[in-house]
Amino acid sequence: MSAPVIDRAGRARDAVAREAWAEAYALLHARDRHPDEALTPDDLGALSDAAWWSGHLDESVAARLRAHAAHVAAGDHRGAGLAAWWLHYEYAGLGRPAVAAGWLHRARHHLDGLPPCPEQSFLAWADAEEATARGDGPAALAATGRMTRLAEGSGSPDLLALSRQAASAALLAQGRRAEGLALLDEAMCAAEAGELSGVFTGWLYCLALTQCMEAADFGRAVEWTRTAMEWCAGFGTGDNPFRGVCRAHRVEVLDLLGEWTAAEEEARRACREVPVDCLEAAAAAYCAAGDVQRRQGRLDEAARSYAHAHELGRLPQPGLALLRLAQGRADAAAAGLRLALACQDAHRGPLARARLLAASTEVSLAVGAVPDAADAAAELDALAGDVPLLRALAGTAAGAVALAEDPGTAAPALRRALDLWLRLRVPYEAAQTRMLLAAADRAAGDEEAARLELAFARDGFERLGAGPDARRAAALLSAAARRRLPGGLTAREAEVLRLVAGGATNKAVAGALVISEHTVARHLNNIFAKLGVSTRSAATAYAYAHGLV
């Protein structure tokens, strides 16, 4: 090889070693097109990695196919087995399960007869996921145990962290939440400490976010999302590994945090980045965008987003039902939720069902079906356990049902729910719960507490840009203000008294309010009678004493 050729090869491999993926892709792609520079099997694997990180998914698969063929030609079964496993993984991500299964079978053909080697840990991971999918918990844990032993034997921090993540997933699937989350934290500490390669760091962040959202562990989801995006900030735009499903889960986190502008933009990116054969992530992103648009009062846009999700094969619930409720079509909302609850996939996790049940409670109450609302709230309460996010949803639903059945008993559940929403830093649901709590406070005769909750709710909705909810809170607050006028004064009598206290004559009051002087005199007679005074000066003193001026 000539010196320039060797130099180009060295520069490309250096870029791969530094995980400068955009640079590596450009250099390897240029070398691959040069007739005098044949890529080695390892170079082809690196080109595949660089193409994937740079968003060139088709080229990633094409390079990996060539790498596999080159390893086979060289008699390298370990290299061929690893390339085959990666092809299985990439085809699964592209939504082509039959092709993915074929490559997994080929990976086993290459690796199963060999002495223990690091590449076999990926087969053990596949065994664990298959066992989890069919509900065989012991087999899943046995597979992750094999994966851990192989990882420890290899001395690879990457594989060891991945094995802990896989064991965490298997434990969580069996309901062993504390053990599973402890293992996940251990795996993620290695990623956060910079102990892993970039490929595995990005991979673990994405897997952790998915696990946390499926387990409804919102605190961890927020923490790992923030950490992951700080890590991603060190890469170029094309190198960001948060694509597809990973970005869709990030949208969910941003949505709950009330960062709606960022959530909608992330949803748009997810829809642009998802390959045509992998539509589930795009559907989830359209649902998230629709939720933001609905709460901001952009109902036509929300309808289009939900329609796109439906077109891609996902029931856009509970968002679509809540849109129908906002449009005054409560019966359609109830019917949609019944269908969604009956058809829900079990693999979507407890948070998905909890959201359906919370919406079902709200819609049932809107149509006057209080027993149905109570049933939905009871199921939600049983599902929630001690998971804070689910507990907050359950508390809000229980409080709403109590308002319909016995308003005097609603406040304790709603206050507990509000405390959880505030601790979780979920502003929209906190404001919604304040609205319910205001009604409970009013039912208990505490008008001052009700006014405070309405004011906080209104301010929260305004900060979020939730226009319809902000207007509703403002209207209720205005009504509460009218109810608290002292001395039994009406709003118009209070207006007359304010003007009189300011020194206006009857004629001036009539001109200001566009009424006759006779009407002003009648209002003054009523005011004097209600306040127990007989002069304008006494009425003026009352107005100042009670804050009407």
Side-chain angles (χ1 to χ4, degrees):
M1 296 176 67
S2 66
V5 170
I6 294 173
D7 181 61
R8 283 193 294 269
R11 286 167 54 209
R13 289 167 187 163
D14 176 66
V16 171
R18 290 185 285 109
E19 297 182 331
W21 294 113
E23 180 186 348
Y25 171 75
L27 290 167
L28 288 166
H29 189 67
R31 284 189 60 210
D32 194 37
R33 297 178 65 182
H34 199 284
D36 297 331
E37 299 187 43
L39 298 184
T40 67
D42 288 341
D43 287 338
L44 288 167
L47 174 59
S48 178
D49 290 340
W52 183 86
W53 277 76
S54 302
H56 304 285
L57 303 188
D58 290 342
E59 291 183 51
S60 176
V61 171
R64 193 82 66 188
L65 288 167
R66 292 169 59 200
H68 174 264
H71 284 299
V72 170
D76 179 5
H77 284 284
R78 285 176 58 181
L82 183 58
W85 186 88
W86 275 108
L87 284 164
H88 147 73
Y89 182 82
E90 291 194 78
Y91 276 118
L94 291 169
R96 301 182 64 184
V99 180
W103 280 106
L104 180 59
H105 180 76
R106 188 168 290 191
R108 295 189 193 283
H109 172 76
H110 287 302
L111 297 172
D112 273 345
L114 299 180
C117 59
E119 292 80 4
Q120 291 169 345
S121 62
F122 292 101
L123 297 183
W125 188 21
D127 291 339
E129 290 192 322
E130 289 176 353
T132 297
R134 65 175 182 267
D136 190 344
L141 288 175
T144 60
R146 291 197 306 275
M147 186 180 178
T148 300
R149 290 191 295 274
L150 289 163
E152 290 172 340
S154 73
S156 166
D158 286 343
L159 291 178
L160 186 58
L162 187 62
S163 71
R164 286 172 177 150
Q165 184 281 327
S168 166
L171 289 166
L172 287 171
Q174 296 179 51
R176 295 164 65 177
R177 186 180 180 88
E179 296 170 80
L181 291 173
L183 267 181
L184 179 62
D185 288 344
E186 187 178 355
M188 295 311 300
C189 281
E192 188 178 18
E195 298 170 3
L196 311 181
S197 68
V199 171
F200 278 76
T201 298
W203 205 358
L204 283 171
Y205 277 137
C206 197
L207 290 168
L209 179 54
T210 299
Q211 279 181 246
C212 290
M213 289 306 292
E214 289 178 352
D217 193 322
F218 185 61
R220 279 184 172 83
V222 171
E223 190 172 344
W224 293 126
T225 295
R226 299 291 195 211
T227 305
M229 298 318 293
E230 289 172 6
W231 174 75
C232 286
F235 294 89
T237 302
D239 292 337
N240 192 329
F242 271 72
R243 295 192 293 269
V245 174
C246 299
R247 197 182 292 281
H249 283 304
R250 173 166 156 75
V251 171
E252 288 187 82
V253 172
L254 291 172
D255 180 31
L256 282 167
L257 288 173
E259 299 178 22
W260 289 352
T261 300
E264 194 170 2
E265 178 55 34
E266 288 288 292
R268 290 195 191 98
R269 289 178 188 168
C271 295
R272 288 196 300 267
E273 292 169 351
V274 170
V276 294
D277 292 328
C278 185
L279 303 178
E280 182 178 351
Y286 276 123
C287 282
D291 289 343
V292 172
Q293 292 154 355
R294 169 178 53 80
R295 287 179 299 214
Q296 290 183 329
R298 298 152 57 195
L299 301 189
D300 290 342
E301 292 176 68
R304 286 193 291 272
S305 293
Y306 292 141
H308 283 309
H310 211 152
E311 181 184 13
L312 296 177
R314 175 169 175 162
L315 285 176
Q317 298 291 10
L320 181 59
L322 295 173
L323 173 65
R324 296 294 178 240
L325 186 61
Q327 294 170 328
R329 300 171 57 189
D331 290 339
L337 285 171
R338 283 194 298 270
L339 177 63
L341 284 165
C343 298
Q344 187 188 37
D345 292 332
H347 78 274
R348 290 189 60 197
L351 180 56
R353 186 159 190 87
R355 283 172 160 164
L356 289 173
L357 290 167
S360 182
T361 303
E362 181 178 349
V363 171
S364 295
L365 290 172
V367 298
V370 177
D372 291 342
D375 289 343
E379 183 182 342
L380 178 51
D381 183 71
L383 176 68
D386 60 355
V387 181
L389 181 58
L390 302 186
R391 194 76 261 151
L393 282 167
T396 301
V401 171
L403 269 176
E405 293 180 332
D406 185 1
T409 66
L414 290 169
R415 290 199 181 279
R416 287 192 295 270
L418 176 59
D419 181 63
L420 285 170
W421 289 126
L422 294 173
R423 289 174 183 272
L424 290 166
R425 294 179 173 82
V426 178
Y428 181 77
E429 281 73 11
Q432 290 279 48
T433 304
R434 286 190 187 278
M435 296 286 283
L436 295 171
L437 189 52
D441 288 338
R442 183 172 298 116
D446 192 345
E447 287 287 344
E448 181 62 27
R451 288 193 296 273
L452 285 172
E453 297 298 351
L454 287 172
F456 291 140
R458 177 201 58 197
D459 294 346
F461 289 137
E462 287 178 348
R463 283 192 295 270
L464 289 165
D469 290 299
R471 289 190 292 273
R472 184 164 60 94
L476 290 171
L477 195 57
S478 177
R482 289 194 298 272
R483 281 195 299 271
R484 73 173 186 268
L485 289 171
L489 296 175
T490 67
R492 177 47 62 96
E493 288 166 351
E495 288 180 301
V496 170
L497 181 54
R498 288 189 190 100
L499 292 169
V500 168
T505 63
N506 285 14
K507 183 177 180 180
V509 172
L513 300 180
V514 196
I515 57 178
S516 70
E517 290 186 54
H518 174 76
T519 301
V520 174
R522 180 166 51 80
H523 282 316
L524 278 174
N525 286 334
N526 291 336
I527 291 167
F528 291 168
K530 287 181 178 181
L531 303 185
V533 300
S534 58
T535 66
R536 296 170 80 95
S537 59
T540 297
Y542 184 96
Y544 276 101
H546 291 81
L548 292 172
V549 179

